[in-house]
Amino acid sequence: MSWASTRPVGHPEQVNTEESTTLQLRLRPPEHRVSRRAIGHWAASAGAGWLIVLAVQAVVVATADDPPSWLTVTLVLSCVLAPLHLLVMPQWRYRVHRWEVTGEAVYTQSGWLKQEWRIAPISRIQTVDVERGPLEQLFGLARLTVTTASAAGPLRISGLDREVAVALADELTRTTQAARGDAT
């Protein structure tokens, strides 16, 4: 299965000069969304964090002889903010997180409050890794990491279906082996 896009919008354009032929890659919204199961994964992951925060606050308030009023206020605020965060954040991230692989580059878009768009030319890819933490395994998801010769660090695509991540890693490995250049 090939994930290389045939989408004409934003495809790299070939530029011919007297000295060389180069590709100009333009930053654009990637085509594919992550797996819908990523919503549950992000909610469960954030939920675990909120449970720890709420448990610590509740224990301190319950065991203190005379808890300060600000501590009770923070517990109440946490009880209000946690459900809002768990409802909004996963949906928002799902709408933002996208990825695409073409014959020339890997495109990613991620984040929710701070959003990031990245592009990595195929010729700059050094390694491709698939990672699955315990919670990702439970949801049948994986995270693809594409390491490049960029100072900005690797591209990460979180929330991919496990089978899609493995197929994508295989395809990127084959494509980068066939690409000209030394990935530096």
Side-chain angles (χ1 to χ4, degrees), residues 25-37:
L25 301 173
R26 291 181 286 164
L27 195 58
R28 59 175 173 75
E31 184 175 348
H32 305 290
R33 286 190 177 198
V34 297
S35 172
R36 190 137 182 88
R37 291 191 309 265

Side-chain angles (χ1 to χ4, degrees), residues 6 18 22 25 29 34 50 71 100-101 105 109 122 127 139 142 172 176 178 182 184:
T6 57
E18 291 181 18
T22 60
L25 301 173
V34 297
W50 277 112
L71 193 55
E100 183 177 356
V101 174
Q109 180 180 336
I122 294 291
T127 62
F139 282 90
L172 281 171
T176 55
D182 62 358
T184 57

Side-chain angles (χ1 to χ4, degrees), residues 169-182:
D170 289 344
E171 182 179 341
L172 281 171
T173 300
R174 282 191 308 275
T175 304
T176 55
Q177 287 175 345
R180 294 187 337 227
D182 62 358

Side-chain angles (χ1 to χ4, degrees), residues 77-160:
L77 278 175
S78 293
C79 288
V80 170
L81 291 177
L84 289 174
H85 179 247
L86 295 176
L87 288 173
V88 173
M89 178 272 298
Q91 296 291 332
W92 192 331
R93 284 183 73 177
Y94 179 72
R95 286 187 176 101
V96 171
H97 281 234
R98 294 182 177 274
W99 63 275
E100 183 177 356
V101 174
T102 68
E104 295 81 23
V106 177
Y107 297 84
T108 64
Q109 180 180 336
S110 61
W112 70 289
L113 287 179
K114 177 186 171 235
Q115 296 181 11
E116 176 180 68
W117 290 23
R118 303 262 319 263
I119 180 173
I122 294 291
S123 63
R124 304 278 294 182
I125 295 175
Q126 294 177 331
T127 62
V128 179
D129 302 305
V130 176
E131 304 165 83
R132 297 181 70 212
L135 201 54
E136 289 167 316
Q137 291 178 40
L138 182 66
F139 282 90
L141 299 172
R143 178 176 50 249
L144 186 82
T145 303
V146 179
T147 306
T148 66
S150 168
L155 276 73
R156 288 187 177 85
I157 307 171
S158 299
L160 289 175

